[in-house]
Amino acid sequence: MKTLSPLQQERLKYQPKLPESLKAGINKLVCVEKEKTEAVKDKEQIKELFAKTYGQAIVEFAVGTEEKASGIKNVGVILSGGQAPGGHNVIAGLYDALKQANKENKLYGFLGGPSGIIDGKYVEFDDKFIDAYRNTGGFDIIGSGRTKLETEEQFKKSLEVCKKLNISAVVIIGGDDSNTNAALLAEWFVKHDTGIQVIGCPKTIDGDLKNDQIEVSFGFDTATKTYAELIGNIQRDANSAKKYWHFIKIMGRSASHVAVEAALQTQPNICLVSEEVEEKKMSLNQIVEDMCKIICKRAENGKNFGIVIVPEGLIEFIPEMKDLISSLNDLTHELESDETYQNVRSEEKFKIIASKLNENNAKLFMSLPALIKAQLLMDRDPHGNVQVSRIETEKLLIEMIRTRLNELKDEGVYVGKFSDQAHFFGYEGRCAFPSNFDADYCYSLGFNAFALINFGLTGYLSSVKNLIKPAKEWVAGGVPLTMMMNMEKRHGEMKPVIQKALIKLDGKVFKELEAMREEWAMNDRYLFPGAIQYFGPSEVCDLTTVTLQIEHA
Amino acid sequence: MKTLSPLQQERLKYQPKLPESLKAGINKLVCVEKEKTEAVKDKEQIKELFAKTYGQAIVEFAVGTEEKASGIKNVGVILSGGQAPGGHNVIAGLYDALKQANKENKLYGFLGGPSGIIDGKYVEFDDKFIDAYRNTGGFDIIGSGRTKLETEEQFKKSLEVCKKLNISAVVIIGGDDSNTNAALLAEWFVKHDTGIQVIGCPKTIDGDLKNDQIEVSFGFDTATKTYAELIGNIQRDANSAKKYWHFIKIMGRSASHVAVEAALQTQPNICLVSEEVEEKKMSLNQIVEDMCKIICKRAENGKNFGIVIVPEGLIEFIPEMKDLISSLNDLTHELESDETYQNVRSEEKFKIIASKLNENNAKLFMSLPALIKAQLLMDRDPHGNVQVSRIETEKLLIEMIRTRLNELKDEGVYVGKFSDQAHFFGYEGRCAFPSNFDADYCYSLGFNAFALINFGLTGYLSSVKNLIKPAKEWVAGGVPLTMMMNMEKRHGEMKPVIQKALIKLDGKVFKELEAMREEWAMNDRYLFPGAIQYFGPSEVCDLTTVTLQIEHA
């Protein structure tokens, strides 16, 4: 029986590229302090909450003139939240740097996400262990989890585990929420004089953890390229068969970065943008109407096919749906123990729900297809909220469009034939073999995380910048986590959190999409990116994302 | 605005490899007659129906000692049926051979499938045209279509078009049905003394057009690798998050070749095989029961996740479902003009249907989830049949498994938590950039098709064999189409058709799967093939499929 695929065997041999500074060696680095920082918003509150770690300076690494010996630093590492390609390389980079600094150093991996550090479940890495995971996708090296590290009790337990293992620093690889937790833990460790440092690494395929200092989170590159491969293939199919409208929903949570990047790589006929829908207060009907216009116009030109990209979070950004979903969250909670409601069939349930909603919401709810009504009522997350990723927005749009097109056909406006195919891509891209970019970037982030540790820093996010240039020109350093924070309402309470980056309608990326989309809609400007290439011409296999190129060109 | 992706630019430059014989040049070939052939079954009937083209010899090409001049041969080419990666290369190979034989030769492409030759819609290819499509996926070069070329009138119209363009041969690139039509057209052209030859090329991602002489149809390699990439990525995700059972339905029509090949490339926990279900007369409940056993056992080991591959055609192979579907086909046809039925809601429709089915079918029908009931009633193809690819078998299985697991939980047998994700892959793989194998194979098939034409042959399928060896060792030649034929019932009538290859339970490929699947079910032997590579180490980028390796090793 085979144990490794041919590509996996080859990728294990790949040596990721490092920025020139880090390449010089961990013990030759000097740490250069740059400007002091402030929180992005709510400065006073953040300062108060992070009395010990607030306002630190941005740092960058340069190569010093002499090599210094490093003392012993044991480190524990955690993978937190959803998978993103490259997580294994962060750990490999961290491991290599730590061993390079001092062979006696130990790296522990906490198992199953943040719960690993609380429950003291861990492994110790050695060369053989790490080597089996270099340049591979997935988080299976130690597993991941979604436990939030935020209570006093959790911090205390974590401290005990760290003491037991003589750990002097914890690296948390995660998205905005996990890095918010990293900031809290860092502050708590300083406040309690534990001497334990905390460093974060920016992970998420969603691309919403970015700002002036963090150009992109890792995994975004590989995931978007994987989705773009599939969209491109489907476009070529649509353009060959000329008989289907493909509606492709793409993962990415609230933000539309993934959808927009995939669109820039493939040039589909339509790409919806959640942030635009919200800002322009577009109703569901208006979205459908706009799409029908394009479908009708293409049908006039004999084109009864096309490609629509739908960001996963869309439904929550449609003002009327947002309101409905929020009412339904309360209502279904209220009806949880109502036996009459629980024991009737779907159709009856819908009526009961409608009778308890306000007029607008009731009308909207009853106008939705049965499938969507059921999905809105069925799937709740542990907090009692609708799981938007499980609502088939793509099918909702298809149903509404079909109904509207039938009307337009009766009016003589629509002359075509509407056949649909629905797709949802998410899990396909989160664990792909990291692209060369993500392999290099992640390895650098991990290596760099240890450099930050070695200089005694805490409450920092590992940062590697200048990413549109070749790796040797990348700039390695650290960004204080508190500078990205502001106060936001979570579960009814104001909390310090890292600000999520959404698509800005006045930003360069959206402008680019906006400028081209009319052309894309009517004339088929499909691009076919194909599968991610790991070998071969540099123009093919070392590319960054279009978003990164536009934002940092 | 971009017009070509970086990979596309690079792939346009790729020079596909040819078998040594063809590489020597079209005008240096000699045609070696091998054994005479007989139809695979129903010899007498096939012989009668194909009086002029029956029983021809298998041919192979060798390199002669001298170069001969070729006369003028204009050729028309048709893409027929569903897309498969490499179609463009068949045309490129055909074009290059034709121009190499005689610069005056012209290649015409009929537009939109077989209807192009009937309606006289065509383009003439030149270098610039062809060069823009080399090594790309899709059939968009001239489009495809599903018109069946089989009536006297269609043949006559085709003849007129060929005469007008002075075409002396037609190449039909298609699956089993299209090549059946190629055989009919070849026979008709000979019978009517037209002097026009017909050559087929074996295309289909489904892999069901194969036999002693045809090792594999083109597109199977690329499509299965694309699906395996995605399944591998999802496996890595499942193994990292450890919380979902992923049910992945895969295209491939009736045969399970695609599902089985994808499974051999990825080693999932479960791979259903339609042919096994039929041969062992497994009921839906038994399939569900078998799967629940594995799910329960994994749950005992703390594994509440896994991967299930479901072949697209499964539902039709479950004896009880086959019977139900057949009754529903008649019934819905009957109810088409029944206003009472048409105007009631789904729930009422289901009851009306059940009242008209026999007891077993009624019971089975009512036991199905509402979603599946609705899909069984809604989607018909132009012949009034259920479109199986649109029935969400993966969701049917999920619903039934969920129900059964709840019972098993109550009985204390099941101790786990069942969360599911459903996927369907098909359109993602049909138009991918052809793998190096498919790029080479298709180019060779096309080049070889012209060699067959140049030797005056008709009613042949272009054949390139010995495919597990490097391209230079491939054996180019032709196989008489009639030798693959037998009589089968189509729309109530016995017709001559090319025999479809299904998975054989006593074949080497199924045996391999069978030998390993218990190990795969319980212990996670996931393989991660990753994206198709076009550059780099030969072990990665020039691989054939596991099926081909097993069958021809």
Side-chain angles (χ1 to χ4, degrees):
Chain A
M1 188 168 316
K2 279 190 195 154
T3 55
L4 293 180
S5 76
L7 181 64
Q8 194 166 351
Q9 290 178 45
E10 284 301 321
R11 287 306 279 171
L12 291 178
K13 303 176 199 162
Y14 179 74
Q15 180 54 51
K17 303 181 199 87
L18 280 175
E20 208 138 63
S21 57
L22 301 183
K23 210 176 166 185
I26 199 83
N27 290 330
K28 284 202 79 170
L29 295 178
V30 292
C31 181
V32 185
E33 273 207 13
K34 301 279 175 176
E35 66 274 22
K36 292 275 177 193
T37 61
E38 297 240 55
V40 66
K41 240 176 69 185
D42 310 314
K43 297 184 173 62
E44 287 312 309
Q45 283 152 289
I46 302 292
K47 189 173 177 177
E48 209 182 304
L49 288 164
F50 295 89
K52 302 288 182 185
T53 51
Y54 185 84
Q56 303 188 85
I58 289 168
V59 298
E60 274 178 28
F61 294 117
V63 182
T65 45
E66 56 191 296
E67 184 141 352
K68 287 166 291 184
S70 289
I72 304 271
K73 292 247 182 199
N74 294 341
V75 176
V77 62
I78 298 168
L79 288 166
S80 178
Q83 281 72 247
H88 291 167
N89 266 29
V90 177
I91 296 179
L94 177 62
Y95 178 84
D96 287 353
L98 167 145
K99 290 291 182 187
Q100 198 184 83
N102 189 321
K103 276 186 187 156
E104 304 298 311
N105 285 343
K106 287 177 182 168
L107 180 63
Y108 295 99
F110 290 110
L111 297 173
S115 63
I117 191 172
I118 300 168
D119 304 336
K121 292 193 174 148
Y122 63 89
V123 288
E124 190 191 327
F125 292 112
D126 59 20
D127 287 357
K128 200 179 151 200
F129 195 151
I130 292 285
D131 287 351
Y133 288 89
R134 289 182 190 271
N135 312 302
T136 58
F139 278 8
D140 41 323
I141 187 168
I142 47 174
S144 184
R146 293 188 183 273
T147 304
K148 288 208 182 306
L149 205 55
E150 52 187 0
T151 69
E152 186 76 15
E153 198 199 331
Q154 290 173 331
F155 294 161
K156 279 186 190 158
K157 283 190 171 177
S158 304
L159 175 60
E160 276 168 41
V161 172
C162 289
K163 275 188 179 164
K164 193 184 110 188
L165 297 172
N166 192 24
I167 280 177
S168 43
V170 176
V171 174
I172 297 178
I173 302 169
D176 52 342
D177 281 347
S178 308
N179 277 299
T180 294
N181 292 159
L184 290 168
L185 183 64
E187 176 72 18
W188 192 91
F189 276 156
V190 179
K191 203 168 126 192
H192 292 80
D193 250 343
T194 63
I196 302 173
Q197 304 156 243
V198 181
I199 300 294
C201 281
K203 170 230 71 171
T204 170
I205 66 157
D206 304 338
D208 56 1
L209 173 50
K210 68 175 172 184
N211 50 51
D212 287 349
Q213 297 297 320
I214 302 297
E215 296 179 0
V216 69
S217 55
F218 80 75
F220 180 73
D221 188 86
T222 309
T224 55
K225 284 173 180 164
T226 303
Y227 303 142
E229 171 199 356
L230 303 179
I231 297 165
N233 288 358
I234 291 173
Q235 288 186 155
R236 195 120 211 184
D237 203 295
N239 197 38
S240 300
K242 299 190 191 295
K243 66 177 181 185
Y244 288 121
W245 272 90
H246 292 268
F247 287 69
I248 307 171
K249 190 174 71 174
I250 304 189
M251 223 176 228
R253 298 242 169 176
S254 307
S256 302
H257 298 294
V258 178
V260 169
E261 170 63 27
L264 291 166
Q265 286 183 35
T266 57
Q267 306 186 168
N269 302 102
I270 298 174
C271 174
L272 300 177
V273 180
S274 303
E275 293 86 338
E276 183 182 18
V277 166
E278 182 173 53
E279 199 159 314
K280 297 185 178 165
K281 296 193 173 47
M282 294 168 77
S283 70
L284 195 49
N285 280 330
Q286 194 185 334
I287 296 169
V288 167
E289 200 61 35
D290 289 353
M291 293 169 81
C292 283
K293 267 191 200 136
I294 293 173
I295 295 170
C296 287
K297 224 167 154 188
R298 286 179 63 85
E300 275 173 37
N301 299 342
K303 291 178 179 174
N304 287 307
F305 65 94
I307 305 289
V308 181
I309 296 184
V310 182
E312 172 184 52
L314 180 75
I315 202 158
E316 278 191 307
F317 281 77
I318 304 170
E320 59 194 309
M321 288 301 297
K322 197 171 178 174
D323 191 35
L324 172 62
I325 289 171
S326 150
S327 299
L328 288 177
N329 282 341
D330 297 343
L331 207 48
T332 47
H333 181 69
E334 185 189 315
L335 288 168
E336 227 161 49
S337 49
D338 182 325
E339 289 208 4
T340 327
Y341 173 79
Q342 293 300 336
N343 291 323
V344 295
R345 294 199 312 190
S346 308
E347 296 280 331
E348 294 305 311
K349 278 202 172 76
F350 301 160
K351 282 185 200 154
I352 295 174
I353 290 283
S355 73
K356 289 175 181 275
L357 290 167
N358 72 30
E359 201 186 319
N360 282 344
N361 279 338
K363 206 174 136 193
L364 173 60
F365 180 72
M366 290 311 283
S367 77
L368 299 171
L371 179 72
I372 304 295
K373 281 198 202 89
Q375 286 171 352
L376 281 168
L377 296 183
M378 278 171 56
D379 303 297
R380 342 293 306 168
D381 69 11
H383 307 290
N385 296 321
V386 167
Q387 289 185 55
V388 281
S389 80
R390 306 211 85 177
I391 297 178
E392 296 178 285
T393 322
E394 67 285 16
K395 292 196 179 165
L396 171 63
L397 292 171
I398 289 169
E399 280 315 306
M400 294 188 68
I401 285 170
R402 186 192 307 286
T403 306
R404 182 69 187 127
L405 288 176
N406 281 338
E407 292 170 7
L408 290 168
K409 188 157 240 171
D410 290 343
E411 293 168 22
V413 177
Y414 177 55
V415 296
K417 184 177 171 302
F418 181 72
S419 299
D420 66 277
Q421 293 287 345
H423 312 261
F424 170 42
F425 298 136
Y427 299 97
E428 294 77 0
R430 307 197 315 175
C431 288
F433 284 90
S435 61
N436 287 351
F437 173 83
D438 266 330
D440 297 346
Y441 180 44
C442 289
Y443 186 80
S444 300
L445 283 172
F447 199 100
N448 183 62
F450 188 76
L452 293 167
I453 291 169
N454 218 22
F455 280 101
L457 299 168
T458 190
Y460 274 78
L461 192 60
S462 178
S463 124
V464 175
K465 295 185 287 193
N466 207 26
L467 296 169
I468 59 162
K469 294 286 163 57
K472 61 177 181 178
E473 294 174 43
W474 289 354
V475 177
V479 185
L481 283 162
T482 53
M483 86 170 285
M484 305 169 191
M485 301 184 92
N486 66 176
M487 302 299 292
E488 287 178 25
K489 209 172 191 174
R490 295 285 159 96
H491 304 298
E493 256 182 279
M494 292 306 286
K495 295 222 169 175
V497 296
I498 291 178
Q499 208 178 39
K500 248 193 210 318
L502 297 180
I503 292 270
K504 291 187 186 115
L505 299 200
D506 58 358
K508 282 193 222 169
V509 174
F510 182 77
K511 291 276 177 208
E512 178 95 3
L513 181 80
E514 206 178 21
M516 300 200 285
R517 62 185 173 185
E518 212 173 298
E519 176 69 16
W520 294 357
M522 297 314 303
N523 307 311
D524 307 325
R525 300 301 184 193
Y526 303 143
L527 287 179
F528 314 114
I532 295 178
Q533 297 301 300
Y534 301 96
F535 315 97
S538 181
E539 308 86 76
V540 175
C541 68
D542 293 325
L543 271 182
T544 53
T545 59
V546 181
T547 300
L548 204 55
Q549 288 164 40
I550 293 175
E551 287 181 339
H552 296 276
Chain B
M1 189 169 311
K2 279 189 195 156
T3 55
L4 294 180
S5 76
L7 181 65
Q8 195 166 352
Q9 289 178 45
E10 285 300 322
R11 288 305 279 172
L12 291 178
K13 302 176 200 161
Y14 178 74
Q15 180 54 50
K17 303 178 199 87
L18 280 175
E20 209 137 63
S21 57
L22 301 182
K23 210 176 166 185
I26 198 83
N27 290 330
K28 286 202 78 173
L29 294 179
V30 292
C31 182
V32 184
E33 274 207 13
K34 301 279 174 174
E35 67 274 24
K36 293 275 176 193
T37 61
E38 298 239 55
V40 67
K41 239 176 69 187
D42 310 314
K43 297 184 173 63
E44 288 312 309
Q45 283 152 290
I46 302 292
K47 190 173 178 179
E48 209 183 303
L49 289 164
F50 295 89
K52 302 288 183 184
T53 52
Y54 186 84
Q56 304 187 85
I58 290 170
V59 299
E60 274 179 27
F61 294 116
V63 182
T65 46
E66 56 190 298
E67 184 140 353
K68 290 166 289 186
S70 290
I72 303 270
K73 292 249 185 197
N74 293 342
V75 175
V77 62
I78 297 169
L79 288 165
S80 179
Q83 281 70 248
H88 290 166
N89 267 29
V90 178
I91 297 179
L94 177 62
Y95 178 85
D96 287 353
L98 167 145
K99 290 291 181 187
Q100 199 185 84
N102 189 321
K103 275 188 188 154
E104 304 298 309
N105 284 345
K106 285 177 183 171
L107 180 64
Y108 296 99
F110 290 111
L111 297 174
S115 64
I117 191 172
I118 301 168
D119 304 336
K121 292 193 175 150
Y122 63 89
V123 289
E124 189 192 329
F125 292 112
D126 59 20
D127 288 356
K128 202 180 149 198
F129 195 151
I130 292 285
D131 287 351
Y133 288 89
R134 289 180 191 272
N135 312 303
T136 58
F139 279 8
D140 42 323
I141 188 169
I142 47 174
S144 184
R146 293 188 184 270
T147 304
K148 290 211 182 304
L149 205 54
E150 53 186 359
T151 69
E152 187 76 15
E153 199 200 330
Q154 289 174 332
F155 294 161
K156 280 186 188 158
K157 282 191 173 177
S158 302
L159 174 60
E160 276 168 40
V161 171
C162 288
K163 278 187 177 165
K164 195 185 108 188
L165 296 172
N166 192 25
I167 280 176
S168 43
V170 176
V171 174
I172 296 178
I173 302 168
D176 53 341
D177 281 347
S178 309
N179 278 300
T180 293
N181 292 159
L184 291 168
L185 184 63
E187 176 72 17
W188 193 91
F189 276 157
V190 179
K191 203 169 125 192
H192 292 81
D193 249 343
T194 63
I196 302 173
Q197 305 156 241
V198 181
I199 300 294
C201 280
K203 170 231 75 172
T204 171
I205 64 157
D206 305 338
D208 55 2
L209 174 48
K210 68 175 171 185
N211 50 53
D212 287 349
Q213 297 298 320
I214 301 297
E215 297 179 359
V216 68
S217 55
F218 79 76
F220 180 71
D221 188 87
T222 309
T224 54
K225 283 174 182 164
T226 303
Y227 304 142
E229 171 201 354
L230 302 180
I231 296 165
N233 288 356
I234 290 173
Q235 287 185 155
R236 196 121 210 183
D237 203 295
N239 197 37
S240 302
K242 299 189 192 293
K243 66 177 180 182
Y244 288 120
W245 272 90
H246 292 268
F247 287 69
I248 307 173
K249 190 175 70 175
I250 304 190
M251 222 177 230
R253 297 241 170 178
S254 308
S256 303
H257 299 293
V258 178
V260 169
E261 170 63 27
L264 291 168
Q265 286 184 36
T266 57
Q267 305 185 169
N269 302 101
I270 299 174
C271 174
L272 301 176
V273 180
S274 304
E275 292 87 338
E276 182 183 19
V277 166
E278 183 173 52
E279 200 159 313
K280 298 186 179 166
K281 296 195 173 46
M282 294 168 76
S283 69
L284 195 49
N285 279 331
Q286 194 186 335
I287 297 169
V288 167
E289 200 61 34
D290 288 353
M291 292 170 81
C292 283
K293 265 191 203 137
I294 293 173
I295 295 171
C296 288
K297 223 166 155 192
R298 285 179 63 85
E300 274 173 37
N301 298 343
K303 291 178 178 175
N304 287 307
F305 65 93
I307 305 289
V308 181
I309 296 185
V310 182
E312 173 184 51
L314 180 75
I315 201 158
E316 277 190 308
F317 282 76
I318 303 170
E320 58 192 311
M321 288 301 297
K322 199 172 179 175
D323 190 36
L324 172 62
I325 289 171
S326 151
S327 300
L328 288 177
N329 282 341
D330 297 342
L331 208 49
T332 48
H333 181 69
E334 184 189 316
L335 288 167
E336 226 161 50
S337 50
D338 182 325
E339 287 209 3
T340 326
Y341 173 79
Q342 293 300 335
N343 291 322
V344 296
R345 293 199 313 192
S346 309
E347 296 278 332
E348 295 305 313
K349 277 201 173 74
F350 300 160
K351 283 185 200 156
I352 296 174
I353 290 284
S355 73
K356 289 171 182 278
L357 291 166
N358 71 30
E359 201 187 319
N360 281 345
N361 279 338
K363 207 175 136 192
L364 173 61
F365 181 71
M366 290 312 283
S367 77
L368 299 171
L371 178 72
I372 304 296
K373 281 198 203 93
Q375 285 171 353
L376 282 168
L377 297 183
M378 279 171 55
D379 302 297
R380 340 295 303 168
D381 71 10
H383 307 290
N385 296 322
V386 166
Q387 290 184 52
V388 282
S389 79
R390 305 210 86 177
I391 296 178
E392 296 178 285
T393 321
E394 67 284 16
K395 291 195 181 166
L396 170 63
L397 292 171
I398 288 169
E399 280 316 305
M400 292 187 67
I401 285 170
R402 188 193 305 289
T403 304
R404 182 69 187 126
L405 288 176
N406 282 337
E407 291 169 9
L408 291 168
K409 186 158 240 169
D410 290 344
E411 294 168 21
V413 177
Y414 178 54
V415 296
K417 185 178 170 301
F418 181 71
S419 299
D420 66 279
Q421 294 287 343
H423 311 261
F424 170 42
F425 299 134
Y427 300 96
E428 293 77 0
R430 308 197 315 175
C431 288
F433 284 90
S435 61
N436 287 351
F437 172 83
D438 266 330
D440 298 345
Y441 181 45
C442 289
Y443 186 80
S444 300
L445 284 172
F447 199 99
N448 183 63
F450 188 75
L452 294 167
I453 292 168
N454 218 23
F455 280 100
L457 300 167
T458 191
Y460 274 78
L461 191 61
S462 177
S463 123
V464 175
K465 295 185 286 192
N466 206 25
L467 295 170
I468 60 161
K469 293 286 162 57
K472 61 177 182 180
E473 296 175 42
W474 290 355
V475 177
V479 184
L481 283 162
T482 52
M483 85 170 285
M484 304 170 192
M485 301 182 92
N486 66 175
M487 302 299 292
E488 288 178 24
K489 208 172 193 176
R490 293 286 159 96
H491 304 298
E493 257 181 280
M494 291 307 285
K495 296 222 168 176
V497 297
I498 292 178
Q499 208 178 38
K500 249 193 213 312
L502 297 180
I503 292 269
K504 290 188 187 112
L505 299 202
D506 57 358
K508 283 194 221 167
V509 174
F510 182 77
K511 291 275 177 210
E512 178 94 5
L513 182 79
E514 205 178 20
M516 298 200 287
R517 61 185 172 185
E518 211 173 298
E519 175 68 17
W520 295 357
M522 297 313 303
N523 306 310
D524 307 324
R525 300 301 184 193
Y526 303 143
L527 287 179
F528 314 114
I532 295 178
Q533 297 301 301
Y534 302 95
F535 316 97
S538 181
E539 308 87 75
V540 175
C541 66
D542 292 325
L543 272 184
T544 53
T545 58
V546 182
T547 300
L548 204 55
Q549 289 165 39
I550 293 176
E551 287 180 339
H552 296 276

